[in-house]
Amino acid sequence: MTADQWLALFAAILGGALRVGVPFLFVSLGECLTEKAGRINLGLEGVLVLSAMAAFGGAWWSGSPWIGVLVGALVGALLATLHGVLCSLQGVNDVATGIALMLLGMGLAFYLGKPLIQPQAPQLPAIPLGSWSDSPVVQAALQINALLPVGIVLAVALWWAFGRTRAGLLVRLAGDSAMATKALGYSVNGIRIAATAAGGAIAGLGGASLTLFYPGSWNEGISSGQGLIAVALVIFARWSPLRCVGAALLFGGAGAIGPAMQSIGVSWGYHLFNTVPYVLTLLILVITCKPGAVAVGSPGELSSAR
């Protein structure tokens, strides 16, 4: 490989990390907020797919990608709120409910989104980071999603809120000790429903980034399990919003290896490289989830989640 090919490969992986990592970032931040309150939402895969469809439909109908983003966030919040409300009922299991709502969200998206497979919706603007280079390949690779800076700011805001604000401390309290939260006169279910709804809205932004930037269209296989991978990603990030940024970029870069190799003419092993994010997920779960051990940073109530 020549120096130009190595540069193109590096730029493609970096650019792919910045593009592919955006949905991972938003879904992991949404799940981080939800789990900080002591609730697990495996339904975020359904939230991601349904919000992706809704965002595409909203942008197509209105002619504005930003209205599509708002629609995606709203739909994500609504489905997550349903999860939060159902899980607040006596005897309802978080994990089973999440799986059921994942199937509901995906089913609704596939059914309602059939008329949207052919149309083209307006796309979010790209931020050019490759203007420093004369190479068209580098310039094309470093076109990043306008939602990426929003996700980074949101991660910093969540990190600050968890440590410095009353609302953030209440979320952490509900996630660490339901009894202490009740003793102070706060509603555990109310806090968890609010955190789950907000987490769904954040995940909905990830869905919007799928259909309104990369890959920029609606189809039934658009998610590829990113909502489920985000649960492992949050464990890997040790429930830290700032670490979620790095973890999302890592997973995004892993997913970009295959297309990056193709961009420089290496076609062998393409499908093998596409499995890297899933292999990473399995490795993280094997390494971090040990029987009888609690992961560092884990909210206390997750170990006794219903």
Side-chain angles (χ1 to χ4, degrees), residues 12 16-17 36 40 44 69 73 88 119 179 182 201 269 271 280-281 286 291 304:
K36 278 286 191 180
I40 299 173
L44 283 183
V69 170
S88 67
M179 293 183 62
K182 292 177 182 178
H271 297 292
L280 273 178
T281 302
V286 169
S304 59

Side-chain angles (χ1 to χ4, degrees), residues 110 218-224:
F110 297 166
W218 161 249
N219 64 77
E220 295 181 353
I222 196 167
S223 168
S224 302

Side-chain angles (χ1 to χ4, degrees):
M1 289 176 59
T2 65
D4 288 341
Q5 286 179 312
W6 279 110
L7 178 61
L9 177 63
F10 176 76
I13 294 177
L14 176 60
L18 295 174
R19 286 191 298 272
V20 180
V22 172
F24 284 120
L25 174 58
F26 282 111
V27 181
S28 64
L29 288 177
E31 181 65 8
C32 181
L33 174 57
T34 301
E35 292 191 12
K36 278 286 191 180
R39 177 149 291 153
I40 299 173
N41 186 4
L42 293 184
L44 283 183
E45 175 71 9
V47 169
L48 185 68
V49 176
L50 186 60
S51 61
M53 183 279 297
F56 189 86
W60 176 65
W61 174 76
S62 67
S64 169
W66 296 108
I67 290 179
V69 170
L70 293 176
V71 172
L74 177 61
V75 169
L78 290 175
L79 187 59
T81 299
L82 178 59
H83 174 77
V85 171
L86 290 175
C87 290
S88 67
L89 302 176
Q90 186 67 31
V92 175
N93 182 274
D94 286 15
V95 174
T97 304
I99 293 173
L101 290 181
M102 175 183 68
L103 298 175
L104 173 64
M106 295 175 68
L108 285 174
F110 297 166
Y111 177 74
L112 298 175
K114 288 187 181 299
L116 300 174
I117 293 177
Q118 293 298 326
Q120 184 59 247
Q123 298 290 290
L124 290 166
I127 300 175
L129 294 183
S131 56
W132 52 269
S133 174
D134 295 329
S135 171
V137 175
V138 173
Q139 292 177 3
L142 297 182
Q143 297 279 327
I144 71 166
N145 191 337
L147 287 178
L148 177 59
V150 176
I152 294 174
V153 170
L154 187 58
V156 174
L158 285 175
W159 168 78
W160 177 79
F162 286 146
R164 301 294 180 87
T165 68
R166 183 184 185 87
L169 291 174
L170 285 176
V171 168
R172 289 173 54 195
L173 181 62
D176 286 331
S177 175
M179 293 183 62
T181 307
K182 292 177 182 178
L184 291 174
Y186 295 103
S187 169
V188 175
N189 284 333
I191 293 172
R192 289 179 177 173
I193 290 172
T196 304
I202 295 172
L205 296 177
S209 72
L210 282 173
T211 50
L212 299 180
F213 189 81
Y214 180 83
S217 61
W218 161 249
N219 64 77
E220 295 181 353
I222 196 167
S223 168
S224 302
Q226 291 182 59
L228 291 173
I229 290 176
V231 177
L233 201 153
V234 172
I235 298 173
F236 178 63
R238 291 291 186 264
W239 292 268
S240 167
L242 294 183
R243 292 196 191 103
C244 283
V245 177
L249 293 178
L250 174 63
F251 272 69
I257 292 176
M261 297 293 285
Q262 265 201 330
S263 70
I264 61 169
V266 179
S267 58
W268 61 267
Y270 174 78
H271 297 292
L272 182 62
F273 284 117
N274 286 342
T275 65
V276 174
Y278 308 102
V279 173
L280 273 178
T281 302
L282 290 174
L283 287 175
I284 288 170
L285 291 176
V286 169
I287 293 172
T288 59
C289 299
K290 298 178 180 178
V294 178
V296 177
S298 171
E301 288 290 316
L302 287 186
S303 60
S304 59
R306 295 172 298 164

